[in-house]
Amino acid sequence: MHVRFFDMGHKQFLNQYKLGEWNSEAERKEAVAAVRATKKVPFRSMISIIQNYHQTETSKERVKARMQCLEELLDEFPDPTLISPLVDLLGIVDNVSREYLSRMLKTLYQKEFSSFYIDALKSDSERVRATIKEILSRVGGRTVFEQLKAKIEANSYPSYKEVADIIAEIAGHHAIDILKRIAHGKNLDDRLHALELLANPRYMKLRKRKALEAAYEFINDPDYNIRVKVVQIIEKYGEEQDVPMLLELLDIEEKKNLQSVIDALGKIGTGDVIPKLLPLLDSAHTGIKMSAINAIGMFEDERGIEPLIEALRDKNLLVRQRTIEVLGSLGNSPNVRLGRLLVAMMKDRDVNVRRSVVEVIKLIGDKEKIWWKLIRYLRDEDWWVRERVTEVLSEMGGPQILEPIVSLLDDPYEVVRRYAIEVIMRLKDKRAIQPLVKSLRDPDWWVRERAVEALAALKDERVVPILNKLLDDEELLLTVLQALQGFGHANSYQPLLQILDHPLPEVRIEVIKALDAINTDKFAESLKVLINDEDKQVRNLVFELLPKYRLTPAGVRRKSFEQISMALLDQMLVDVKAKGGEDLIIVSGNKPYMKVRGDVEILDDHLFTEEETQRLLYDILSPTQREQFEELNDIDMSYSIKGEGSRFRVNIYKTRSGIGAVFRVLATKMMTIEELQLPKPVVDFTQLR
């Protein structure tokens, strides 16, 4: 018979509490209600069960249920005598249980019992101290503050990190003197932590100056780490009146802390500190040099500009890159004019300087109309500088730059003409058509080719007749064909058709693409002629286009447009596999045929000549395989159809009657017993053990 929980005594409840096997949340709550009704809860026994079972408990649900019971009962019957045993539990339970205990200890807290919590801060367990810190930071008040202050004065704790956190959280800037006392202690971690709290604006926002004055006591501390913290506090809270102290440190502070001093000067100093910072740009220490660059960049003061530009000569890439960023930032300030100095630096012999200057100009934009001064640097001996100047001119020059750039197309130096074309190409200004046409007669091939590309980039139909006339220029032919593909203009149809039989296969391919771009059905018959082109790539392209023009390759039966898109050999192999064939056999002077379950079946009525057979088979051989075949008159290999997942074992051979090949279809998966249709005795045999 089911025993209801409210009929149970404490012994039965505790047994159930230990096992944690309530069948539902409702049953657990019923058990809690039953104990609550007794008004005398066995808290000590419940805590003992947690002590004995939670460390080895495997069920998180049982752990959670026990803690819920304890918390619910403690909410109704708060018992301050439980504070110590609950604190003891903090060091041995899991994280989930610790969260429950934290809430319970907050519930039990009263200022008259605060000493129990404060004593727990002496615990060897970091988890205990962390939990008590979190509790007292939330519920502690003046009583906790005074007690902790007394403990600190009596040197009662081995570590003061948690104590300092609680005091700062409770008292804010009122904790400055206590934090200062901790910072005078012997434990370095405690001292640094106290200074970190003094540096935290969240606590010191109402007394930043007082916090700074407290930190000043440690400015000459023998420990480098302490001095770094002090300087960081000066950087956060300091004012102009603190600058002299920092300047004194520039002369006496060791390298480890010098960067912090420089950073602080950049934050609270004025342009008047620049002369003191300039010598640091020559430091052998990269970090110090970088900090000095950053600090000088904080001031919109022209006294720092030339030294920063000089820093572009530095051999260290990181230093140059940071200088570029700082100068770029300064260049965007309304109070600083960099243009004249930057252009002057473009004449520098150091290529790193010229490169860096271009990067700075890109960052500041066309603020000072310096683009026209940059044009001359298209003649720079360094290609990188020419490339970057080209980018800058293209990005910020705009329409106004076209005329001076066009004038460079007559420059005697071909490199200048090349980069002028590059700029024009990126500007895409249609006013450039005539100058570009003129450049088509340039003696430099590269200029002529880029002029064609620049004309195509304009996307203006007036360019089409010009490009059509250039189809006779063998040097520019491929570039012109690619340019015409971008137009697909009907006026190009006849000129393109006339060179469809060009001897070079790469040209025929580009002609086909250009004609296809015109998208006219008139092209269909011409395309069909190319099915048997001697070049494999041309044939493949033709087969890809046939479905678009509703054509089927002559002489080969096809069943779908997917098959039409394949090369001739691949199509025959797909046919063989689709019909359940085992082998495809191709022999010169014969029709292609296949073997199907031992029978021979003609695949196509076309008689393959010796030349056709060799071309068909040589297309699938690598140069090394061709050499091997020609030497031995026989070769074994494998072949697969891309995208089809079909694989074949191949034997190509040569006899007196000519060349031939056998393609054996390979299975792509293992057949099941059912698919093999094996006799029952064989099936039974496979089941024997």
Side-chain angles (χ1 to χ4, degrees):
M1 181 177 178
H2 178 63
V3 179
R4 296 185 62 80
F5 281 105
F6 57 72
D7 293 328
M8 285 185 175
H10 284 173
K11 186 174 182 180
Q12 290 173 303
F13 168 77
L14 289 172
N15 186 55
Q16 197 67 25
Y17 185 77
K18 178 172 65 176
L19 297 175
E21 293 178 351
W22 293 290
N23 294 320
S24 66
E25 178 66 7
E27 281 193 6
R28 187 193 67 76
K29 289 187 175 182
E30 188 178 351
V32 171
V35 174
R36 185 185 292 122
T38 68
K39 296 188 177 181
K40 190 175 181 180
V41 183
F43 283 123
R44 299 282 176 172
S45 298
M46 294 169 72
I47 290 173
S48 177
I49 288 171
I50 292 172
Q51 279 179 318
N52 294 327
Y53 289 93
H54 274 209
Q55 284 183 291
T56 56
E57 182 61 79
T58 57
S59 169
K60 291 184 178 180
E61 290 305 314
R62 281 198 288 269
V63 168
K64 187 176 178 182
R66 291 186 192 122
M67 298 308 295
Q68 283 177 327
C69 286
L70 183 60
E71 183 177 25
E72 289 170 13
L73 290 168
L74 203 59
D75 279 344
E76 185 163 346
F77 304 104
D79 184 353
T81 65
L82 298 178
I83 292 174
S84 290
L86 290 177
V87 168
D88 291 340
L89 284 178
L90 287 173
I92 63 173
V93 296
D94 59 286
N95 290 333
V96 173
S97 299
R98 199 172 295 114
E99 290 179 14
Y100 280 99
L101 289 171
S102 177
R103 290 200 296 269
M104 289 182 242
L105 286 167
K106 286 176 189 173
T107 300
L108 292 174
Y109 177 81
Q110 295 178 35
K111 63 181 181 180
E112 55 265 34
F113 304 121
S114 57
S115 59
F116 291 109
Y117 295 80
I118 289 173
D119 286 342
L121 291 170
K122 296 179 183 178
S123 171
D124 293 334
S125 170
E126 188 175 336
R127 292 178 176 179
V128 173
R129 297 198 306 272
T131 305
I132 295 299
K133 181 191 82 172
E134 192 269 333
I135 293 170
L136 290 179
S137 296
R138 295 284 184 88
V139 301
R142 186 173 185 84
T143 300
V144 171
F145 175 75
E146 293 297 337
Q147 289 183 356
L148 286 175
K149 180 180 176 182
K151 293 284 187 182
I152 292 169
E153 290 172 351
N155 293 321
S156 300
Y157 295 111
S159 172
Y160 287 91
K161 290 181 74 173
E162 291 87 7
V163 173
D165 284 333
I166 296 168
I167 287 177
E169 196 68 46
I170 292 174
H173 65 271
H174 297 291
I176 289 175
D177 290 337
I178 301 178
L179 293 173
K180 184 168 67 172
R181 184 181 181 90
I182 294 173
H184 274 293
K186 295 180 179 180
N187 185 300
L188 180 60
D189 286 341
D190 288 344
R191 299 181 68 206
L192 290 171
H193 192 64
L195 289 173
E196 284 176 3
L197 292 171
L198 285 173
N200 191 330
R202 177 166 165 254
Y203 302 127
M204 306 298 152
K205 58 184 177 182
L206 299 179
R207 291 291 185 274
K208 291 180 180 178
R209 191 70 208 172
K210 186 178 178 182
L212 177 56
E213 290 169 356
Y216 262 137
E217 292 188 19
F218 307 93
I219 195 70
N220 295 314
D221 195 276
D223 192 286
Y224 144 74
N225 298 287
I226 297 294
R227 297 199 304 276
V228 169
K229 288 294 181 187
V230 174
V231 173
Q232 289 173 352
I233 294 174
I234 298 174
E235 182 180 352
K236 280 192 175 182
Y237 303 149
E239 302 167 358
E240 193 173 335
Q241 67 191 73
D242 299 298
V243 169
M245 170 66 78
L246 292 171
L247 290 175
E248 287 181 23
L249 293 176
L250 278 182
D251 298 326
I252 63 173
E253 192 55 77
E254 58 186 279
K255 289 180 180 179
K256 289 182 178 179
N257 197 19
L258 199 54
Q259 284 179 249
S260 299
V261 175
I262 298 167
D263 293 341
L265 281 170
K267 183 76 176 291
I268 66 174
T270 65
D272 292 336
V273 307
I274 290 178
K276 288 280 190 178
L277 295 173
L278 293 181
L280 300 173
L281 294 176
D282 296 324
S283 171
H285 190 280
T286 300
I288 292 174
K289 196 179 298 186
M290 297 273 271
S291 290
I293 291 168
N294 290 335
I296 294 171
M298 299 293 287
F299 314 117
E300 295 179 2
D301 191 309
E302 293 200 349
R303 285 178 290 179
I305 301 303
E306 289 196 45
L308 284 175
I309 291 179
E310 283 296 313
L312 295 175
R313 301 181 190 280
D314 199 275
K315 294 180 180 179
N316 189 303
L317 175 61
L318 293 176
V319 173
R320 294 200 304 274
Q321 189 58 45
R322 185 60 192 137
T323 305
I324 288 169
E325 293 168 1
V326 169
L327 284 170
S329 178
L330 285 171
N332 284 302
S333 166
N335 303 321
V336 177
R337 296 182 64 82
L338 286 175
R340 177 181 57 80
L341 291 170
L342 289 173
V343 173
M345 292 292 287
M346 285 295 293
K347 300 175 184 176
D348 199 277
R349 291 183 179 181
D350 189 336
V351 66
N352 288 326
V353 173
R354 301 199 301 275
R355 291 182 174 190
S356 300
V357 168
V358 176
E359 291 298 301
V360 175
I361 292 172
K362 284 181 68 175
L363 289 173
I364 67 175
D366 198 19
K367 177 187 168 188
E368 300 179 44
K369 303 292 181 186
I370 59 176
W371 58 264
W372 61 273
K373 296 178 183 177
L374 288 178
I375 292 176
R376 73 188 76 171
Y377 296 105
L378 289 174
R379 293 184 175 86
D380 195 278
E381 62 188 27
D382 181 66
W383 69 270
W384 193 97
V385 173
R386 296 196 301 267
E387 289 283 348
R388 298 292 85 75
V389 168
T390 299
E391 288 179 15
V392 172
L393 290 173
S394 304
E395 289 174 12
M396 71 183 191
Q400 60 193 357
I401 202 175
L402 183 63
E403 187 174 343
I405 290 294
V406 165
S407 68
L408 296 179
L409 295 177
D410 294 323
D411 195 278
Y413 188 26
E414 68 268 13
V415 171
V416 176
R417 301 199 302 276
R418 290 178 181 182
Y419 279 96
I421 287 283
E422 283 293 330
V423 176
I424 292 172
M425 186 174 180
R426 298 183 194 191
L427 290 175
K428 295 183 180 179
D429 191 322
K430 293 185 178 182
R431 294 177 298 159
I433 290 178
Q434 289 308 314
L436 288 172
V437 170
K438 181 181 176 183
S439 291
L440 294 173
R441 298 188 295 273
D442 194 279
D444 184 73
W445 168 82
W446 195 94
V447 172
R448 296 198 306 276
E449 184 181 70
R450 295 300 274 168
V452 171
E453 294 174 356
L455 283 168
L458 294 175
K459 299 296 182 183
D460 190 313
E461 290 190 356
R462 291 177 294 171
V463 169
V464 174
I466 299 168
L467 296 177
N468 288 341
K469 290 180 181 178
L470 292 174
L471 290 171
D472 293 332
D473 189 331
E474 287 292 329
E475 284 190 325
L476 296 176
L477 184 53
L478 283 173
T479 306
V480 172
L481 289 170
Q482 290 164 357
L484 286 172
Q485 291 167 26
F487 287 95
H489 200 282
N491 288 349
S492 299
Y493 181 73
Q494 287 301 328
L496 287 168
L497 210 58
Q498 292 175 12
I499 57 172
L500 190 56
D501 59 351
H502 195 281
L504 294 177
E506 58 266 31
V507 172
R508 296 199 297 278
I509 287 172
E510 297 303 327
V511 173
I512 292 170
K513 291 179 180 178
L515 285 166
D516 179 52
I518 298 172
N519 200 20
T520 172
D521 286 340
K522 292 191 297 181
F523 178 43
E525 289 305 313
S526 300
L527 187 66
K528 195 171 181 180
V529 173
L530 295 169
I531 289 174
N532 296 314
D533 193 277
E534 63 182 18
D535 184 81
K536 181 181 179 180
Q537 289 183 308
V538 174
R539 297 196 304 273
N540 286 345
L541 176 59
V542 171
F543 276 112
E544 288 176 12
L545 293 175
L546 288 177
K548 179 178 178 180
Y549 295 95
R550 298 177 296 282
L551 294 173
T552 302
V556 184
R557 296 194 307 276
R558 299 293 161 249
K559 291 194 172 183
S560 68
F561 280 135
E562 286 74 22
Q563 290 176 314
I564 292 172
S565 68
M566 299 177 187
L568 184 57
L569 175 60
D570 290 354
Q571 292 177 55
M572 288 192 289
L573 289 169
V574 168
D575 276 355
V576 170
K577 189 174 180 184
K579 293 178 178 180
E582 298 152 4
D583 298 293
L584 167 66
I585 302 169
I586 303 171
V587 180
S588 58
N590 292 275
K591 299 174 182 178
Y593 63 93
M594 65 177 178
K595 285 185 179 180
V596 184
R597 290 180 291 278
D599 295 329
V600 174
E601 181 180 320
I602 299 297
L603 188 66
D604 198 277
D605 291 332
H606 178 71
L607 288 171
F608 277 90
T609 65
E610 176 79 17
E611 182 182 356
E612 288 174 333
T613 307
Q614 181 170 329
R615 184 192 305 165
L616 192 73
L617 298 176
Y618 269 43
D619 274 349
I620 67 172
L621 295 175
S622 68
T624 303
Q625 288 172 325
R626 288 183 188 179
E627 290 180 10
Q628 181 182 344
F629 176 69
E630 288 169 1
E631 180 180 349
L632 303 175
N633 293 330
D634 186 88
I635 187 170
D636 291 314
M637 58 180 289
S638 63
Y639 183 71
S640 61
I641 301 177
K642 188 176 180 181
E644 282 286 311
S646 301
R647 296 171 55 249
F648 305 89
R649 186 168 65 244
V650 186
N651 172 247
I652 303 176
Y653 57 88
K654 189 183 288 185
T655 65
R656 291 181 181 178
S657 59
I659 189 172
V662 178
F663 291 78
R664 167 61 56 91
V665 179
L666 298 177
T668 56
K669 68 172 185 176
M670 296 292 291
M671 295 180 69
T672 65
I673 290 176
E674 291 76 14
E675 290 171 333
L676 290 170
Q677 298 181 348
L678 297 175
K680 188 175 185 303
V682 176
V683 176
D684 293 340
F685 181 77
T686 64
Q687 305 300 319
L688 293 176
R689 294 184 180 179

